[in-house]
Amino acid sequence: MPDILVSENVSGAEMDDLKKKYQVVYEPELFKDQNKLMGMIGDFRAIVVRNQTKVNADLIAAGKKLQVIGRAGVGLDNVDHVAASSAGIVVAFAPMQNSISVAELAIGLMISMARMIPAADKSTKAGGWDRKKFTGVELFGKTLGIVGLGRIGFLVANRAKAFGMKIIAHDNFVNPDSFTVSEIGAELVSLDELFKRADVISVHTPETPQTAKMFNAAAFAKMKPTAFFMNTSRGGVVDEEALIEALRSKKIAGAALDVRSVEPPKPSPLTEMENVILMPHVAAFTNEGQDRVQKCVCADVDAVLSGRPAMNYFNFAMPKKNA
Ligand code: MLT
């Protein structure tokens, strides 16, 4: 009887240990075939996914024996955690494990936009030596607007402070008296004010019905024409057509996207824009970050399957259904 279905690429020593202890079916491309996945899920006590497997209500209903969904990452937009919770299934994930990696990429993107590093690199490798065109801007003294002051937003702001940036932030849930706010000396502002004042806008909000396409034409219209916009959270929070139009009409100066509304993305005018940096959703992908994520999720899947509580769970530590 199989125990664990792995439908995406989750590896490492901890996964090897799971394979020794349990019957693991490892099909890292399975996320591409939802019908096959639907046909298989009923046999398993656990499924381990990244962000591409659609763990929707239908899959959860078909997972009659499921006790735990292990999400190797933070975002739960591909996991119907409401359906999982009503079915009594533990949703284990890996909060904090990749936050530093994401924050470091965000800082890299910010410097890359300010100094046009990718475009200058491309031009110089092609034989150019255009020093005037590649005159950038300093981050010192500029205002960084963080949308979503959670773990990652905090780490980005904390690092940006070292550049002498002023931090403003918008987050409906953060306590103004919290350490998070005082440590980075953030000024909490409305979204509109953040759009108006920020020189760099960094997005760190999950994708929910409330945040879907919150960066739309109206939002870009409020930003400075010199503003850089960067998104390392979820592509669905940005209206990509509106972003393209904002870049074309020079409503903002540039953008850096690690995440897209559809992944992998369809052909887009963004790929032709020199002031746009595109990455293939790899902010969390560092050796260290992935080691921690894999360790965390494998440990919790093992815990639940052995009757122990998970440590990092979204809903509850132990399944609320009979095995
Ligand atoms: C995360 O949510 O952990 C990152 O975006 C990486 C991923 O989706 O797997």
Side-chain angles (χ1 to χ4, degrees):
M1 175 65 73
D3 299 302
I4 305 172
L5 180 59
V6 185
S7 59
E8 293 181 57
N9 173 24
V10 180
S11 50
E14 291 75 19
M15 178 55 77
D16 293 342
D17 289 346
L18 282 185
K19 287 177 183 165
K20 283 179 205 144
K21 187 166 172 187
Y22 300 96
Q23 283 209 25
V24 176
V25 174
Y26 189 83
E27 289 206 28
E29 300 289 307
L30 185 57
F31 68 91
K32 293 178 180 164
D33 189 344
Q34 192 75 9
N35 286 337
K36 186 173 175 196
L37 186 54
M38 282 291 285
M40 292 172 73
I41 192 72
D43 291 336
F44 292 86
R45 296 197 287 149
I47 180 167
V48 178
V49 304
R50 283 191 181 275
N51 71 343
Q52 289 180 287
T53 309
K54 288 183 187 56
V55 189
N56 55 25
D58 288 344
L59 192 77
I60 288 166
K64 299 278 179 236
K65 297 183 183 150
L66 266 190
Q67 294 179 32
V68 55
I69 297 163
R71 161 69 171 105
V74 185
L76 290 176
D77 37 292
N78 61 318
V79 176
D80 188 335
H81 51 81
V82 176
S85 301
S86 355
I89 299 166
V90 175
V91 177
F93 68 148
M96 287 190 283
Q97 310 303 324
N98 58 26
S99 307
I100 291 172
S101 304
V102 179
E104 289 184 359
L105 185 79
I107 294 291
L109 293 175
M110 181 164 66
I111 298 172
S112 296
M113 284 191 287
R115 303 306 297 268
M116 296 171 272
I117 294 172
D121 171 66
K122 193 172 165 198
S123 158
T124 310
K125 283 178 181 163
W129 195 256
D130 199 340
R131 300 172 73 200
K132 189 167 188 315
K133 179 176 173 187
F134 294 114
T135 302
V137 292
E138 285 184 347
L139 295 175
F140 178 79
K142 299 292 191 309
T143 298
L144 171 62
I146 301 275
V147 181
L149 196 53
R151 285 178 292 268
I152 298 171
F154 170 80
L155 291 172
V156 174
N158 206 23
R159 283 152 178 74
K161 256 181 57 176
F163 292 115
M165 297 186 84
K166 171 168 178 49
I167 312 297
I168 60 175
H170 175 79
D171 190 314
N172 287 329
F173 302 101
V174 80
N175 177 351
D177 298 324
S178 63
F179 169 83
T180 301
V181 175
S182 60
E183 176 67 9
I184 53 174
E187 183 186 345
L188 294 179
V189 296
S190 70
L191 206 49
D192 273 6
E193 191 175 345
L194 184 142
F195 291 157
K196 279 183 203 136
R197 287 174 53 193
D199 297 299
V200 181
I201 293 170
S202 192
V203 184
H204 303 286
T205 178
E207 185 181 348
T208 65
Q210 290 73 37
T211 61
K213 294 198 176 177
M214 68 185 281
F215 298 94
N216 51 25
F220 291 120
K222 289 173 192 151
M223 296 176 192
K224 294 182 180 183
T226 50
F228 295 118
F229 175 81
M230 55 186 193
N231 186 11
T232 51
S233 64
R234 281 295 180 267
V237 303
V238 176
D239 178 342
E240 257 184 41
E241 292 307 314
L243 173 63
I244 292 165
E245 184 45 38
L247 289 159
R248 274 193 182 132
S249 57
K250 302 199 184 324
K251 286 202 167 63
I252 61 172
L257 306 177
D258 181 49
V259 287
R260 304 293 294 281
S261 48
V262 178
E263 294 181 5
K266 300 197 165 61
S268 160
L270 290 169
T271 56
E272 305 300 323
M273 296 181 175
E274 214 183 24
N275 55 348
V276 171
I277 301 170
L278 299 175
M279 302 284 289
H281 197 153
V282 287
F285 281 52
T286 58
N287 294 338
E288 297 83 354
Q290 287 308 305
D291 278 356
R292 288 192 295 264
V293 161
Q294 288 166 175
K295 194 175 197 161
C296 174
V297 78
C298 290
D300 277 339
V301 167
D302 179 29
V304 173
L305 294 189
S306 338
R308 290 178 284 111
M311 296 295 287
N312 296 282
Y313 52 87
F314 181 77
N315 48 6
F316 29 78
M318 305 274 278
K320 294 191 178 178
K321 65 198 279 195
N322 295 327

